[in-house]
Amino acid sequence: MTLPFAATPAERRLLTEGRLSGPMPWVIAIMMFLTVLAAAGGLALNHAASNVTGSIAQRITVQIVEANPDIREQQTRAAMATLQAMDGVNEVIRVPDSEIDALMEPWIGAAGQEEGIPVPTMIDADLDAETHADLESVEEAILAVAPAARVDDHAQFLAPLAGLIGSLTWLALALVLLTASALAASVILAVRAALNTHRATIEVLHLMGATDVQIARLFQRRIAIDALLGGIVGFLCAIIVLLLLGQRIGAVGSELLGSASLPLWGWFTLLLLPLLGAVMSTFVARFTVIGVLRKML
């Protein structure tokens, strides 16, 4: 039984012999390496954008900026009670004073609390989409019971970051398309070079009754093997790089950088790229051979 991608003697005479021989598989490996990295970057950024907008964008922080500690505590409890009584407020959490002190320490030092410097209390609240859209009403209700309150909308601060992530995602997609176009162009050049080299042999095959489709099969099988082997090599190299980068990002310990990770479906998408590259190269080789042969005769 003959395998679909098995090289026949005629094919070995027309094209370069051996696995990963000649420049074509290595060019495809480089293109696939860059494609996988660009695709992984785009998928990771898209996943990070979903995490940021989904878990943080609808959150608000209420600061009670009051010098008198008794009044500050009274307004903090009133603001929390108001938020907890509202429809559409999913969770209300008071930020512990120890965390606030740790945040302020780089600015006022460890002795700031001992000196009696007033530090505002902070309340984090998660809102649903409808309540977040009517944030003015939420702010009015809080100010009615806590005049010293200041409401900070996380979406306002995240808007520039979301825009940057979106731009980088589109850039990654553009890089994937560019590398795919470069891969197709390299296949076209390789096929045209092989056709010119073996022009006399192809004319003899035509005289023997071979059709353009039959001759095209000789080339597309070899190109398919080169594209698949080169794609696997480039894919494996890219995966090694991604794993090393993942370890570096994990060592940083940043929540924002940690959100820029590949989801499970993203890894399956990357696994399809070598196969898609081989299929695309096969079709490009087929149409190129048929198109050139029609012009030759």
Side-chain angles (χ1 to χ4, degrees), residues 63-274:
Q63 298 186 50
I64 309 298
V65 185
E66 171 60 48
N68 189 308
D70 296 331
I71 299 177
R72 183 170 64 243
E73 182 64 25
Q74 180 183 0
Q75 292 189 14
T76 300
R77 294 181 179 180
M80 290 187 63
T82 300
L83 286 170
Q84 291 171 346
M86 285 184 181
D87 294 330
V89 179
N90 300 322
E91 188 177 19
V92 179
I93 300 176
R94 177 173 177 173
V95 180
D97 294 338
S98 58
E99 292 187 13
I100 298 177
D101 293 337
L103 292 174
M104 298 296 294
E105 184 174 348
W107 307 101
I108 63 176
Q113 188 175 4
E114 299 176 359
E115 297 294 334
I117 297 177
V119 177
T121 57
M122 301 178 64
I123 304 169
D124 284 336
D126 289 329
L127 313 180
D128 59 20
E130 183 178 353
T131 305
H132 185 266
D134 190 19
L135 190 58
E136 292 183 0
S137 299
V138 176
E139 187 173 0
E140 290 176 359
I142 295 174
L143 291 175
V145 297
R150 187 177 70 183
V151 180
D152 295 326
D153 184 13
H154 289 201
Q156 181 179 0
F157 299 102
L158 291 173
L161 177 61
L164 174 61
I165 292 177
S167 300
L168 292 176
T169 302
W170 284 109
L171 177 60
L173 177 60
L175 290 176
V176 171
L177 295 177
L178 286 175
T179 52
S181 301
L183 174 60
S186 62
V187 171
I188 292 174
L189 292 175
V191 171
R192 286 181 176 272
L195 288 172
N196 290 331
T197 301
H198 301 286
R199 185 186 184 98
T201 304
I202 293 172
E203 290 178 353
V204 172
L205 291 175
H206 271 127
L207 292 175
M208 295 173 59
T211 64
D212 292 346
V213 174
Q214 289 174 330
I215 296 175
R217 288 174 182 169
L218 300 177
F219 287 89
Q220 72 184 36
R221 287 177 182 174
R222 184 70 257 174
I223 291 295
I225 294 175
D226 288 347
L228 188 58
L229 293 178
I232 292 175
V233 171
F235 172 80
L236 293 177
C237 292
I239 292 300
I240 293 174
V241 172
L242 291 175
L243 293 177
L244 293 176
L245 286 176
Q247 292 180 352
R248 295 282 184 174
I249 292 175
V252 172
S254 172
E255 183 177 356
L256 180 59
L257 288 177
S259 63
S261 59
L262 277 174
L264 183 59
W265 60 268
W267 289 105
F268 283 111
T269 302
L270 296 182
L271 283 172
L272 293 176
L273 290 179

Side-chain angles (χ1 to χ4, degrees), residues 10-17 194 198 218-219 222-223:
E11 178 184 348
R12 284 192 288 268
R13 286 193 295 271
L14 283 174
L15 295 175
T16 307
E17 296 184 7
H198 301 286
L218 300 177
F219 287 89
R222 184 70 257 174
I223 291 295

